[in-house]
Amino acid sequence: MDVKKILFLTRNFPPMMTEGSARAWQLAAHFESEGWLPFVVGPAEVTGIEMPASLAGADFPVYYAGKPVEAGELDPGALSRVLHGRPVNRLTALKESVGGLFSADSSGKSWEKHAAELAREVLAANPDIEVLYAQGPPSSPHQLGMELANEHGLLMVLDYIEPYEFDAQYQRQEKIEDRTMLSGHVVIMPSRAMKVYMLKKHFGALSHDDISIIRNGYDPGELSALAPYVGGDAVMRWVLLLERMTRKELAGLFSAYSDLIAEHAELRGALSLSIVGSQRDDAEEQLVKAGLHDLLDDRWYHSREDELDACMQSDVCVIGVGSSAANAMFVPERFFDILGMRKPVFGVLADGVARALVEEGGGDVVTPGERSDMTAALSGLVQRWQNGTLGSMSDELALQYQVPDALRQLRRDIVSRLLLG
């Protein structure tokens, strides 16, 4: 039986920890497990760091496009920002986090040039590649994918992990979106809310069947391989997953912790805060200002696997996402791993997809900026931890977000299109 081949174009792939990296990795690994051979043209290489165990064990080739980054030249904070796709300068990074998309299409042209060379070499050496997958935003993989698909007559999967709507270069991006969305290729998105949004935006030009929902999720096998939760000591361990929050929103969250400590001084040595996600150093700055630096577990997490370990060893996971309208359809990929772990979740979330998921799963939720509500919720969680009644996110919701189920559907859709083509 001939092995089917698929070419991936993405600016998000391990060891990068940008949003979309876990999704692209899970897609490639799933196709490999089903007998396909993926070829990945990914982001720039980060050298001098240990390769994630999952990627080191993969049997498919990954080609890194762009100028390599030497990790040994960076301090832990700068390396974290690089791996999360943010500027090395932390002030610029905080400014860019407010709007939504991490960096829109920064360096898109330089990436596209190198990626195009690599992709054409792969296609020339493997003329039997039948499918091309391109993930965006940023738009450069979509643009390159359209070009290569037309040149080689390939079926393409266009994966939209977010809308382009809030890109600083939106007017140019809008034309690209129109061209790709209406191209007749397979279009996939991670949520029903995003699909409905796009159908309304392109009303009359797209039908319901033109977009497939391939949810983000977690791999049960991957989570079961982690060291099991230990707990049971006198310290309540919190992991804070913080994304796209403004300076004011971060300050409000840590002010609520400060209020909690002020009301319950005995908690000062009984709480430990670990921070994962792209805003680790931004959050630490606000935590210090709130007089809580002694509560911080000062480790840096430079791989998805390290973040997963930290989440597994926590008593409660806090999910904080900025309240900008750009983030209404944004759910951090790490949330789904936390859901798969059945961890108790406290969401600091405005209305949107992430808040709806936490509420559906039975988690606690407050709106960013509601300081007294946050303090009360934190106090309630501490009491439940002390009483052994923290609970967990619902099994019913977690079972809906197992990655293999969603990816099997995508594979069936691709195979049926190949047979028809």
Side-chain angles (χ1 to χ4, degrees):
M1 180 178 174
D2 293 336
V3 175
K4 291 188 177 298
K5 297 179 180 180
I6 180 170
L7 174 62
F8 279 68
L9 302 173
T10 177
R11 297 268 297 277
N12 306 301
F13 204 78
M16 295 296 286
M17 300 166 72
T18 48
E19 290 296 325
S21 292
R23 181 176 175 88
W25 157 254
Q26 288 167 342
L27 282 164
H30 172 77
F31 275 98
E32 182 194 27
S33 70
E34 294 297 325
W36 290 53
L37 178 58
F39 297 83
V40 178
V41 175
E45 185 177 13
V46 181
T47 62
I49 61 173
E50 186 176 352
M51 189 63 66
S54 54
L55 189 56
D59 289 329
F60 55 85
V62 180
Y63 306 90
Y64 292 99
K67 184 179 179 180
V69 177
E70 174 50 59
E73 299 174 358
L74 304 172
D75 63 49
L79 177 57
S80 176
R81 289 189 290 277
V82 165
L83 291 171
H84 284 97
R86 302 178 67 200
V88 172
N89 181 289
R90 62 187 300 180
L91 295 178
T92 305
L94 182 59
K95 180 180 178 182
E96 289 198 3
S97 75
V98 174
L101 302 179
F102 64 87
S103 59
D105 200 24
S106 63
S107 302
K109 289 299 180 185
S110 60
W111 178 88
E112 189 170 352
K113 182 177 185 297
H114 191 200
E117 294 171 356
L118 289 170
R120 287 191 168 91
E121 289 175 8
V122 172
L123 288 166
N126 299 273
D128 52 345
I129 287 175
E130 298 180 79
V131 184
L132 195 156
Y133 164 93
Q135 185 195 77
S139 66
S140 44
H142 282 175
Q143 294 180 81
L144 176 58
M146 290 286 290
E147 184 179 331
L148 295 174
N150 290 336
E151 286 178 10
H152 296 268
L154 299 173
L155 172 65
M156 184 160 69
V157 177
L158 287 156
D159 189 3
Y160 276 87
I161 57 175
E162 294 189 85
Y164 288 140
E165 196 76 17
F166 297 93
D167 192 325
Q169 302 173 341
Y170 173 58
Q171 188 171 7
R172 181 173 66 85
Q173 301 287 341
E174 185 176 24
K175 295 177 181 177
I176 298 169
E177 181 185 289
D178 288 342
R179 188 165 71 251
T180 54
M181 287 291 297
L182 307 179
S183 65
H185 289 291
V186 176
V187 175
I188 63 174
M189 294 175 183
S191 70
R192 184 166 300 281
M194 188 171 167
K195 175 175 178 173
V196 169
Y197 174 85
M198 285 295 196
L199 289 175
K200 288 180 178 178
K201 183 178 178 183
H202 297 274
F203 183 75
L206 289 172
S207 70
H208 180 83
D209 293 337
D210 288 329
I211 302 172
S212 296
I213 300 170
I214 304 299
R215 289 173 164 173
N216 284 333
Y218 65 94
D219 184 336
E222 184 177 40
L223 298 186
S224 66
L226 297 173
Y229 168 71
V230 179
D233 57 18
V235 177
M236 183 180 187
R237 305 186 188 283
W238 301 67
V239 161
L240 285 69
L241 170 60
L242 306 176
E243 297 289 352
R244 304 181 180 184
M245 300 184 81
T246 63
R247 188 186 302 270
K248 183 177 180 180
E249 288 168 339
L250 289 169
L253 171 60
F254 292 113
S255 293
Y257 274 103
S258 183
D259 291 345
L260 176 68
I261 295 294
E263 294 174 8
H264 303 279
E266 72 279 5
L267 293 177
R268 179 157 297 271
L271 301 182
S272 173
L273 309 182
S274 299
I275 301 168
V276 301
S278 66
Q279 293 193 281
R280 163 67 171 77
D281 53 353
D282 304 329
E284 181 175 356
E285 179 182 329
Q286 298 304 319
L287 189 146
V288 170
K289 288 183 177 180
L292 301 173
H293 192 267
D294 57 309
L295 271 61
L296 176 66
D297 182 331
D298 60 4
R299 285 176 293 181
W300 289 86
Y301 303 104
H302 291 141
S303 72
R304 175 169 172 265
E305 286 81 355
D306 287 345
E307 287 194 341
L308 292 179
D309 283 334
C311 293
M312 182 63 82
Q313 296 307 320
S314 68
D315 294 294
V316 173
C317 292
V318 178
I319 313 295
V321 175
S323 57
S324 165
N327 298 325
M329 285 175 279
F330 170 68
V331 183
E333 286 181 323
R334 201 65 59 252
F335 166 79
F336 297 101
D337 298 305
I338 291 167
L339 176 63
M341 295 175 189
R342 313 302 201 269
K343 289 292 177 180
V345 169
F346 172 46
V348 183
L349 303 161
D351 288 341
V353 177
R355 182 175 181 126
L357 282 170
V358 174
E359 290 176 334
E360 184 181 352
D364 298 83
V365 186
V366 298
T367 301
E370 299 293 339
R371 181 169 171 174
S372 60
D373 290 347
M374 279 191 278
T375 304
L378 294 174
S379 179
L381 285 161
V382 170
Q383 291 176 10
R384 282 153 52 190
W385 171 73
Q386 292 171 333
N387 297 333
T389 58
L390 270 175
S392 64
M393 293 288 277
S394 81
D395 282 339
E396 183 178 357
L397 181 65
L399 290 172
Q400 296 176 35
Y401 287 90
Q402 296 186 78
V403 162
D405 294 338
L407 301 191
R408 274 192 289 269
Q409 179 58 51
L410 174 60
R411 193 179 72 256
R412 286 193 292 267
D413 290 347
I414 289 174
V415 171
S416 65
R417 291 284 290 267
L418 290 174
L419 291 174
L420 289 172

